[in-house]
Amino acid sequence: MVGSSHEALHRVFQKDPALLTRAFQKVLRVPFPEPRDFAVLNADVTEIEPVERRVDTLMRVETDDGAYLLVVEAQGKKDERKRGSWPYYLAYLYEKYRCEPVLVVITQNSTTARWAAQPIRRGLPGWESLTVRPLVIGPDNVPVIASERDAERDVPLAVLSAMTHGRGAQAAAILEPLAFALRTVDGESAAVFGQLVESCLADSRAKEIWRDLMSEIRYFFNNPVAEKVREEGRVEGREEGRLEDRAGMTLRILEWRAIPVSEAVRERVLACSDLDQLEIWARRAVTADRAEDLFSG
């Protein structure tokens, strides 16, 4: 059971270890060798009693260029003690496993992201004995995946998008596309991803929306008729479902933001059969001052 955003932010990489190396390429723009194999390791870095030191998630990645240790730390706020702990973790893990450690910090907070990205230098100024440069994943570099097509293309990355933006205004635009995309994975994975996302949502109304969506997903996987439709992949029904989901999401975002929706606006949105246009309206719904602003521009 995942009970907090801190736990969820690093546990998502245990669910799908390959997501982390894709995040290097798609989010951080850092070249990383193509992995051949992953192993989640014991995260305990305690050296002697009674001092206990523990990283959040530790993985060993085998590549054609050698093995790497991926050290993932979920960070909710600034903590200057970590600027002492992180160099220790990396030095200890290198000594223990004899392969290169890579520190990745994941956060939902832009201020924390900027703080964590600052290099940690130890030694003489200009002649440091040790420099640590954390790689930071957060709301400023993780893309907002608000399209069903994009979410289906890489479901774990869409989950990461919902988690890192879970405390911001963009959260509502991500939830329904993600919920639709979760229907393309197996039921067990959908349930785990759904729990991870819920742990990272800050707003109570966003949590309520997500729980409703997850109820629909559970029905989808448990209903024999829905399962048959999913397996057969009926294109026409799938496209109709996309349109209904996107139109409903657009209206729900406005209602979630307490913006009045006239009958004329509601009818125009529900009557639209252009998925791309509905996606544009859904994105505008996140920042619109009036419901009629959906159609401007």
Side-chain angles (χ1 to χ4, degrees), residues 28-48:
L28 297 169
R29 309 296 181 186
V30 171
F32 192 88
E34 193 66 29
R36 296 196 313 266
D37 190 29
F38 290 91
V40 178
L41 305 178
N42 187 336
D44 192 346
V45 291
T46 303
E47 188 171 5
I48 57 173

Side-chain angles (χ1 to χ4, degrees), residues 124-161:
L124 292 173
W127 198 269
E128 291 81 8
S129 301
L130 174 67
T131 300
V132 175
R133 298 176 59 196
L135 294 167
V136 181
I137 297 174
D140 293 336
N141 56 7
V142 176
V144 175
I145 299 181
S147 159
E148 285 101 341
R149 292 190 182 95
D150 290 341
E152 286 182 359
R153 193 174 295 121
D154 193 335
V155 173
L157 186 62
V159 170
L160 182 65
S161 177

Side-chain angles (χ1 to χ4, degrees), residues 198-215:
E198 181 176 340
S199 297
C200 290
L201 296 175
D203 187 273
S204 59
R205 288 173 293 180
K207 280 183 177 286
E208 184 178 350
I209 290 173
W210 185 241
R211 286 167 182 163
D212 289 342
L213 291 170
M214 288 305 297
S215 296

